[in-house]
Amino acid sequence: MQELLIDRNIVAYFSMEIGIDEKIHTYSGGLGILAGDTIRSSADLKVPMVAITLLYRKGHFQQRLEKDGWQREEPDPWPVEEFMQEMPSRTHVIIHGRTVHLRAWKYEVKGISGLVVPVYFLDADLPENSEWDRTLTHHLYGGDNYYRLCQELILGVGGARMLKELGYSNIRSFHMNEGHSALLTMELLDEEAKKAGRDHVTEEDCKKVHKKCVFTTHTIVPAAHDKFTREMAEMIIGKRDDFFGINGVLYNGNTLNMTFLALNMSRYVNGVARSHGEISRELFSGYSINSITNGVHAGTWVSAPFRELFDQHIPMWRKDNFSLRYALNIPKEDIWETHMQAKRKLMEHISRETGLYMDEDVLTIGFARRAANYKRADLLFHDIERLRNIYDNVGKFQVIYSGKAHPADYSAKELIKKIFRAKYSLENDIKIVYLENYNMDLGAMITSGVDIWLNTPEPPLEASGTSGMKAALNGVPNLSVLDGWWIEGNIEGVTGWAIGNGVSTSQENKHLQDARSMYDKLENIILPLYYHDRNNFIDVMRNSIAINGSFFNTHRMIQEYVLNAYCCY
């Protein structure tokens, strides 16, 4: 199968992180999970693809939460040899004047079509390298800016070189999933110069490289756009006046901005939701930025009970995710009983891991994603007395949290502590649990096992978001701020409910308005519907699958990439 791929015009997919298996600790959050889902759907739909990332032998980190909620990080190593095949091919890159040797490990993703998409994990942990250089592929998002740029040089330049060593000579499109791999454009420029018999790159080479590259930008949060001083870039990459002198390589003549490098070197650029595309066009004025809304891999994120139900009623759902619209024909009692099976599994997990008993008959709200201030995980506790009053006078509810903070993001760590303080404040009334060490398996369990999926980002900072899509596939309605994908997915009272009206105000007023809107929806609509009009609540569950589950998936997403980005040049 690999030989067949090598002979075809294929897509080379570069991503700093890829979440392909829970036991392979090479992802931290949404970007990596999306990459894994993209690869799975490519394999399912016979889209010829090869993927490149780094190995991260020490993983991201294991999260341990102290009694007050303070996050501690522990190493998260994993047994590479048990999951991957070492390839004989070798290549190298020059980093700060040193030769760093690289090997690749292969993991194969087999789709329902039978197509295999190989994923190559680059590894610098070789005896030929210095002790420090051997650590360059140990940690995901570890170290300082120097370490980060070294990693991105390995990913971009080393990845492109490794593909050549592995025999991939007919790559039609190089897809950069975020800007981390943008230095692959330098390697592509060098290849074009070499073909022309030159030892330096020119603007003419840029035109040819531009035709080969696709770039997806995932965020408008400034900290997520990697920037390095020219001094550091020249120290690590070398004094490449030919490369740094090309129009569009350096931002303002003195900064290597990986997002702008990718923007300037790509024939097709997209944001990850319609609203994100619009905002990106404002943020990066002068660039043509399209939008392809993210999705999730249905076959991965649908819970086992719902897989059985879909197999019974919609036999083609795995291959044709659009057929999930026929979930409207599934009897309501079957939807509810299937949901309760997933919910019981989650309740049993919580009891086993924490000792806390949660009642399966109580409305359960879920909030699980990366801990970051703009996601406002604490918005639910904006007015604790009103929350308690809703619980006492309208209907009981319980809340499940999970999510890791970046080790260097102390404000996000404080946010987790704030949730713990609210948990203790309400412990005699409302059951609240924060499950530690959020990962793929836990995420799947929570998104399928709660009754309502809560999402409270500060607009417009949520580029897309995908956790709510996973919930929708499992018949869990969303209660979410109008941002990211939910602007497209929300049909009020049909697929879920919106928090706020999407109108921008001052930050303080926005928090207050969104909190009041959230409480109003819980008090006046969701809790009464759940406890006193279960039939109509199940309608919203079923609509979530049929309307949102059938559309917000990576099968639809990858088809859009094929039509708009991969096959139109």
Side-chain angles (χ1 to χ4, degrees):
M1 184 61 71
Q2 180 183 337
E3 289 74 19
L4 291 175
L5 275 179
I6 288 173
D7 291 337
R8 297 170 68 179
N9 290 326
I10 68 171
V11 176
Y13 186 79
F14 283 65
S15 185
M16 190 74 167
E17 54 174 293
I18 294 179
I20 206 67
D21 187 294
E22 172 50 42
K23 298 181 180 66
I24 298 174
H25 305 161
T26 55
Y27 69 96
S28 72
L31 184 71
I33 299 301
L34 175 77
D37 285 358
T38 300
I39 292 164
R40 292 186 190 96
S41 284
S42 295
D44 285 346
L45 299 180
K46 296 186 178 181
V47 176
M49 178 178 281
V50 57
I52 290 284
T53 188
L54 303 187
L55 188 66
Y56 309 121
R57 286 179 175 272
K58 301 297 176 65
H60 190 36
F61 67 87
Q62 288 245 14
Q63 180 194 50
R64 294 291 175 256
L65 297 175
E66 297 182 351
K67 190 173 182 180
D68 65 351
W70 183 251
Q71 174 182 291
R72 299 290 183 189
E73 298 88 29
E74 297 177 0
D76 198 19
W78 54 284
V80 174
E81 293 79 2
E82 290 183 15
F83 297 96
M84 300 184 183
Q85 173 190 358
E86 181 181 354
M87 305 303 292
S89 301
R90 297 289 186 269
T91 191
H92 70 275
V93 293
I94 305 299
I95 297 178
H96 201 162
R98 307 183 307 275
T99 299
V100 177
H101 300 273
L102 301 171
R103 63 179 162 184
W105 298 78
K106 182 171 74 169
Y107 181 89
E108 294 186 337
V109 177
K110 187 174 183 179
I112 57 174
S113 67
L115 181 76
V116 171
V117 172
V119 185
Y120 293 104
F121 294 77
L122 301 178
D123 182 16
D125 195 350
L126 290 166
E128 303 95 292
N129 294 328
S130 70
E131 283 301 313
W132 192 86
D133 287 339
R134 293 180 70 163
T135 71
L136 284 172
T137 53
H138 279 184
H139 301 281
L140 173 59
Y141 303 137
D144 55 13
N145 261 10
Y146 182 91
Y147 186 85
R148 174 68 71 89
L149 184 53
C150 291
Q151 284 192 324
E152 296 188 4
L153 179 62
I154 290 173
L155 176 63
V157 176
R161 290 179 181 177
M162 184 60 77
L163 287 177
K164 288 194 70 175
E165 291 297 325
L166 291 165
Y168 293 92
S169 57
N170 292 323
I171 296 175
R172 182 186 184 96
S173 298
F174 291 85
H175 187 167
M176 294 173 279
N177 188 40
E178 258 307 350
H180 309 110
S181 59
L183 285 176
L184 80 85
T185 61
M186 182 175 73
E187 180 64 15
L188 297 179
L189 286 168
D190 286 343
E191 289 179 7
E192 293 300 330
K194 186 176 180 180
K195 289 177 188 175
R198 286 183 269 101
D199 62 358
H200 60 280
V201 299
T202 67
E203 298 286 348
E204 194 62 31
D205 299 322
C206 286
K207 296 176 183 177
K208 296 177 180 178
V209 170
H210 188 267
K211 293 178 181 179
K212 297 180 180 181
C213 293
V214 172
F215 172 48
T216 300
T217 177
H218 285 265
T219 182
I220 64 168
V221 179
H225 298 278
D226 287 347
K227 298 177 284 291
F228 309 95
T229 65
R230 178 168 184 167
E231 180 183 17
M232 178 176 286
E234 289 184 334
M235 180 196 312
I236 293 171
I237 297 170
K239 288 192 175 294
R240 288 288 307 270
D241 290 339
D242 58 332
F243 175 64
F244 292 120
I246 287 177
N247 183 40
V249 169
L250 292 178
Y251 180 68
N252 286 339
N254 57 14
T255 302
L256 179 61
N257 183 311
M258 303 301 268
T259 298
F260 277 94
L261 176 58
L263 283 169
N264 287 314
M265 291 291 182
S266 297
R267 71 176 187 236
Y268 183 90
V269 179
N270 69 281
V272 290
R274 286 186 180 180
S275 62
H276 179 236
E278 294 170 4
I279 295 163
S280 296
R281 285 190 290 275
E282 295 175 8
L283 184 64
F284 305 115
S285 179
Y287 293 93
S288 175
I289 300 177
N290 304 278
S291 63
I292 295 178
T293 302
N294 281 344
V296 297
H297 186 256
T300 296
W301 296 104
V302 169
S303 67
F306 267 107
R307 286 201 295 268
E308 293 179 12
L309 185 68
F310 294 161
D311 286 343
Q312 179 184 349
H313 291 274
I314 316 169
M316 289 294 291
W317 72 274
R318 283 181 172 85
K319 184 176 182 180
D320 177 12
N321 291 174
F322 285 114
S323 68
L324 286 169
R325 62 190 179 276
Y326 296 119
L328 291 173
N329 298 325
I330 300 176
K332 292 183 181 181
E333 59 269 23
D334 291 352
I335 293 284
W336 183 254
E337 177 51 36
T338 302
H339 168 65
M340 289 304 294
Q341 291 179 45
K343 189 174 183 180
R344 290 184 196 110
K345 180 181 178 182
L346 176 60
M347 301 295 106
E348 290 167 3
H349 174 83
I350 291 169
S351 177
R352 185 171 58 251
E353 294 297 318
T354 70
L356 177 67
Y357 169 76
M358 284 191 149
D359 190 338
E360 67 179 52
D361 294 323
V362 170
L363 178 91
T364 303
I365 299 170
F367 188 107
R369 51 187 53 83
R370 179 172 59 88
N373 277 341
Y374 80 87
K375 294 181 182 287
R376 299 192 297 180
D378 59 337
L379 189 68
L380 185 64
F381 309 116
H382 190 274
D383 185 342
I384 281 184
E385 287 310 310
R386 182 170 180 191
L387 195 64
R388 185 182 278 118
N389 184 64
I390 293 171
Y391 178 89
D392 289 337
N393 298 307
V394 182
K396 292 182 178 181
F397 56 90
Q398 53 200 8
V399 189
I400 299 170
Y401 277 96
S402 191
K404 295 178 177 179
H406 187 283
D409 190 347
Y410 290 96
S411 62
K413 290 183 178 182
E414 288 293 338
L415 180 63
I416 297 175
K417 288 182 65 177
K418 189 174 182 180
I419 294 168
F420 268 67
R421 288 194 295 272
K423 176 171 77 96
Y424 293 132
S425 174
L426 292 163
E427 63 184 347
N428 293 326
D429 300 293
I430 304 170
K431 290 181 180 177
I432 301 168
V433 66
Y434 199 111
L435 299 174
E436 68 181 7
N437 207 39
Y438 186 51
N439 56 31
M440 287 175 66
D441 287 350
L442 185 56
M445 200 182 306
I446 300 174
T447 51
S448 64
V450 298
D451 299 305
I452 292 291
W453 193 252
L454 180 64
N455 189 30
T456 53
E458 183 180 338
L461 299 178
E462 182 85 295
S464 173
T466 54
S467 60
M469 300 175 187
K470 297 168 187 138
L473 275 168
N474 289 282
V476 175
N478 279 256
L479 172 61
S480 176
V481 167
L482 285 168
D483 199 13
W485 82 280
W486 189 235
I487 296 173
E488 302 166 52
N490 175 55
I491 304 174
E492 189 66 17
V494 177
T495 59
W497 301 272
I499 295 172
N501 56 16
V503 177
S504 296
T505 61
S506 69
Q507 187 179 58
E508 184 177 350
N509 286 340
K510 186 63 178 170
H511 291 342
L512 177 61
Q513 290 172 7
D514 286 347
R516 285 176 174 172
S517 173
M518 175 179 56
Y519 296 142
D520 288 346
K521 293 289 171 74
L522 282 171
E523 181 176 6
N524 301 319
I525 299 175
I526 295 172
L527 283 163
L529 199 65
Y530 183 84
Y531 285 113
H532 307 300
D533 192 0
R534 182 66 54 78
N535 197 53
N536 281 328
F537 187 87
I538 298 172
D539 277 339
V540 182
M541 294 174 65
R542 199 162 55 172
N543 291 336
S544 294
I545 300 168
I547 298 174
N548 284 344
S550 69
F551 182 82
F552 293 100
N553 54 72
T554 43
H555 276 31
R556 182 269 314 158
M557 184 196 80
I558 201 68
Q559 289 178 63
E560 289 194 44
Y561 275 111
V562 168
L563 290 172
N564 299 312
Y566 297 160
C567 295
C568 52
Y569 293 90

